[in-house]
Amino acid sequence: MHAGAVAAGKDLNVDVVWNGPSSETDYARQVQIVDSMIARQVDGLVVAAQDRTTLNASLDRAAAAHIPVTVFDSGVDSTNYMTYIATNNFQGGQMAARKLAALLNGKGKVAMLMNAPGSKSTLDREAGFEDVLQKEFPGIHIVARQFSMSDRAKGMAVAENFLTAQPDLDGMFASSEPSSVGAALALKSRGLAGKVKLVAFDASDDLVQDLKDGSIDALVAQDPFRMGYEAVKSLVDKLHGTNPPKVIDLSATVVTKGDLDKPEIKTLLFPDVKKYLN
């Protein structure tokens, strides 16, 4: 995302000031950062909300200061923004459910390793996953669910608890990068990689390696580079007099080990980040 935003800044001749908390659950720090940007009277603001309600007052302040705001990656309950750009997360969860169902031949017991209670993007993924299983695959039952709190170590502990409590578990869905890494670590530590099917969300280097070695059976990959680029572009368009759409959906892509050599998948998973972030 950072690289995509910087790339757009270079292409469109605007300065991009990038900042964020060191922890995904440090909500107070994100509010401080956003409010400081408003106080600096930036020309436009892009925010990826860690929690769907925490930034609502800040968005009100930005609107009062006539600063256009694009929300990207994870949504907010407020409607006080110009554009929302993100993966269609509900659809991404549906894609994950259909892939896991295919891996399980339409029957079995599965667990959901969720992200965090206030994260709209991952809540949408989890809702989409449940929606498809309930409507299309009555032979698959969700027997456990728990949050990782966006932490790899907690995600691993939760996944190990699933495997202990449900020794006949057939599959897992992990709705975020930390949850996915934790689930893969748990399967490897128990010698269950490839036996308990795992569909993961996101595509960090660690997750791609887990896909290669068989710890993960499929990734639902986003396009964070494009997301960052389009977010900056939406603000530049607004500053030039064009009103962007209220919602811009970006589709996710299901990636399996056999897809990794495809040129379009290489471009998606391995954008030239170093070109923009020196």
Side-chain angles (χ1 to χ4, degrees), residues 75-232:
V76 292
D77 284 351
S78 169
T79 57
N80 222 348
Y81 59 86
M82 177 186 72
T83 299
Y84 175 48
I85 299 176
T87 301
N88 187 325
N89 285 294
F90 189 85
Q91 180 190 71
Q94 292 179 312
M95 294 164 73
R98 292 187 181 109
K99 185 60 184 178
L100 186 57
L103 291 165
L104 298 178
N105 296 312
K107 58 183 186 295
K109 297 180 178 180
V110 301
M112 290 176 61
L113 186 43
M114 304 184 294
N115 185 46
S119 171
K120 187 175 188 308
S121 60
T122 50
L123 290 171
D124 285 349
R125 295 168 197 169
E126 293 146 12
F129 181 81
E130 289 190 76
D131 176 73
V132 159
L133 291 191
Q134 289 173 1
K135 292 178 179 176
E136 300 178 20
F137 300 101
I140 296 178
H141 304 283
I142 299 172
V143 296
R145 68 186 74 210
Q146 195 169 332
F147 292 109
S148 72
M149 299 312 295
S150 199
D151 182 277
R152 290 181 175 191
K154 289 179 183 176
M156 181 179 179
V158 169
E160 288 185 327
N161 290 341
F162 289 161
L163 297 169
T164 299
Q166 305 285 341
D168 57 347
L169 194 68
D170 298 298
M172 274 195 277
F173 168 55
S175 66
S176 68
E177 195 272 349
S179 300
S180 298
V181 171
L185 287 169
L187 291 176
K188 286 185 280 191
S189 74
R190 296 292 182 94
L192 293 173
K195 297 175 184 176
V196 175
K197 302 301 182 185
L198 173 58
V199 175
F201 216 104
D202 278 330
S204 65
D205 290 346
D206 288 339
L207 293 181
V208 173
Q209 185 56 50
D210 287 334
L211 183 65
K212 288 179 180 178
D213 68 26
S215 305
I216 290 173
D217 296 275
L219 294 173
V220 182
Q222 304 185 81
D223 192 345
F225 186 93
R226 184 181 171 204
M227 208 181 298
Y229 193 102
E230 294 293 336
V232 172

Side-chain angles (χ1 to χ4, degrees), residues 35-44 65 67:
D35 285 350
S36 73
M37 294 292 184
I38 295 169
R40 288 175 60 176
Q41 297 182 316
V42 293
D43 296 299
I67 297 172

Side-chain angles (χ1 to χ4, degrees), residues 3 203-212 219 221-225 255-257 259-276:
S204 65
D205 290 346
D206 288 339
L207 293 181
V208 173
Q209 185 56 50
D210 287 334
L211 183 65
K212 288 179 180 178
L219 294 173
Q222 304 185 81
D223 192 345
F225 186 93
V255 181
T256 62
K257 183 177 179 179
D259 298 324
L260 290 174
D261 290 331
K262 296 178 180 177
E264 65 273 20
I265 298 300
K266 287 183 177 180
T267 299
L268 174 67
L269 298 182
F270 306 109
D272 191 359
V273 171
K274 291 181 179 179
K275 179 179 178 182
Y276 302 102

